[in-house]
Amino acid sequence: MIRYHIAYPDLANLIETEKPGWLQRAAERTERFGRTGRYDESSAIWSEVKAVYMRLQGAGKCAFCERKLESETFGKGEQDVEHFRPKGKVKQWPIPPALNQAGIQATKVPSDNKGYFLLAYHPFNYAASCKPCNSSLKGNYFPIKGRYDLTGKDPIDMAVEEPFLIYPIGDFDAAPEDLIRFHGVSPQPVARAGFQRQRALVVIDFFKLDDAIQRKNLIRERALVIVALFPQLQKIANGASGQELNDAQAIVDGFTSEKAPHTNCARSFVRLFQSDHAEASRIFNLVVAFISSSS
Ligand SMILES: [Zn+2]
């Protein structure tokens, strides 16, 4: 994961430009949910602004696993507008034993909860996400460490919940790259202890970001990033000049831009190459072997 910077007024402007009147219609629906105390409607309108999030998130990347899906016209079919805080009843996420052993405990979800019905149409409650991350894994889970604020109206003011999951849009949550970085193809917590480490561990487990069996193709895509980067980093380190240097740098810049798939992995590998060349070489060789074995 990486962060996508945007201030609320700018996000609202993008939405209004994409679909004039949408924010007003959304506000009217939210006002109705507030009166009835639940999310309930026959048809939803958040898909109308899906493209705004796709553009914002590196032109079609999944907010959570950083896979790059098809561009706007056809990509809409393989991306969901994911509600970060569930609009309907929140389900208790079963903490896996390994995370329990790491001292992670989630707040019990109120059994009679109606979900975050006032956030069904909040622009800072959306992210574009691939179907495995949204439909198969995220669902209606929202594990937190703090106190549930199910009638909250603005995610910016809901830090008291201490969510385990990281919201990557805007600047009000932690930057994902401050919490999770990669060693080779494997995501790792940055912090050695504390809540930041717990968040990283939960996100990695929740979205199966390090699951080489169930998300083999995700891991393979990261391996391809490293295979592409390593020779270019070598050329630069070995003193390439002229066109060769320009080409190598352009490839590195492209793979580490926020529009690239697996930006966090790519940036982490560049840092590793610069700080520990021997380890970067070892990983490159492992990754080459992994790709040939999984082809
Ligand atoms: Zn995904």
Side-chain angles (χ1 to χ4, degrees):
M1 286 179 76
I2 61 167
R3 169 186 271 173
Y4 303 97
H5 290 277
I6 190 160
Y8 183 82
D10 296 329
L11 179 58
N13 277 341
L14 291 177
I15 289 172
E16 198 56 25
T17 303
E18 175 75 10
K19 212 72 190 175
W22 187 92
L23 289 169
Q24 179 58 34
R25 289 156 63 210
E28 288 163 8
R29 288 172 185 233
T30 302
E31 196 270 332
R32 182 157 53 79
F33 305 149
R35 271 188 279 119
T36 59
R38 64 193 312 138
Y39 168 75
D40 184 20
E41 61 182 344
S42 54
S43 65
I45 60 170
W46 50 76
S47 291
E48 296 175 17
V49 297
K50 185 188 291 187
V52 170
Y53 292 85
M54 291 174 64
R55 286 175 213 138
L56 187 61
Q57 294 169 207
K61 285 165 63 173
C62 171
F64 302 112
C65 71
E66 284 206 84
R67 287 194 302 134
K68 189 135 179 165
L69 305 177
E70 193 46 271
S71 51
E72 208 169 300
T73 305
F74 298 118
K76 283 181 181 174
E78 53 177 358
Q79 290 246 11
D80 287 335
V81 175
E82 120 87 354
H83 286 75
F84 185 64
R85 286 175 165 86
K87 61 192 177 299
K89 184 170 182 170
V90 181
K91 284 174 63 182
Q92 187 81 39
W93 186 58
I95 299 276
L99 295 189
N100 252 326
Q101 282 163 17
I104 296 173
Q105 293 189 327
T107 303
K108 191 169 183 333
V109 180
S111 57
D112 60 346
N113 83 83
K114 304 283 193 297
Y116 297 89
F117 52 92
L118 296 176
L119 299 182
Y121 283 107
H122 197 295
F124 268 155
N125 195 37
Y126 295 152
S129 155
C130 75
K131 291 185 183 297
C133 285
N134 181 36
S135 306
S136 306
L137 293 165
K138 174 82 172 40
N140 279 342
Y141 295 126
F142 194 67
I144 67 171
K145 187 184 177 77
R147 178 174 55 81
Y148 275 105
D149 180 11
L150 292 154
T151 53
K153 294 176 180 166
D154 186 343
I156 293 175
D157 299 328
M158 294 168 73
V160 65
E161 293 197 312
E162 297 184 88
F164 281 113
L165 305 183
I166 308 166
Y167 185 68
I169 297 170
D171 295 328
F172 59 94
D173 201 349
E177 285 177 279
D178 288 344
L179 271 55
I180 300 172
R181 293 191 179 179
F182 286 76
H183 191 69
V185 297
S186 177
Q188 309 279 331
V190 173
R192 298 205 171 163
F195 183 50
Q196 292 203 338
R197 180 177 178 83
Q198 293 189 352
R199 292 190 84 184
L201 289 170
V202 168
V203 168
I204 292 166
D205 192 285
F206 190 95
F207 292 108
K208 305 292 175 210
L209 298 180
D210 201 20
D211 190 326
I213 296 170
Q214 295 185 82
R215 303 207 72 173
K216 187 175 179 181
N217 289 341
L218 170 62
I219 309 294
R220 194 169 192 281
E221 282 187 16
R222 290 187 202 131
L224 292 171
V225 169
I226 290 172
V227 163
L229 274 174
F230 185 81
Q232 309 309 323
L233 293 168
Q234 285 282 64
K235 282 183 200 169
I236 296 168
N238 291 339
S241 60
Q243 192 60 44
E244 189 183 33
L245 175 62
N246 290 344
D247 289 348
Q249 194 59 55
I251 291 170
V252 172
D253 291 348
F255 273 87
T256 51
S257 102
E258 71 173 30
K259 291 191 173 181
H262 315 297
T263 309
N264 189 337
C265 174
R267 290 175 179 169
S268 297
F269 188 73
V270 171
R271 280 192 298 270
L272 178 70
F273 186 95
Q274 289 160 352
S275 64
D276 187 346
H277 181 262
E279 179 63 3
S281 296
R282 190 185 72 85
I283 283 175
F284 172 69
N285 289 326
L286 285 175
V287 157
V288 169
F290 170 68
I291 287 176
S292 35
S293 72
S294 66
S295 294

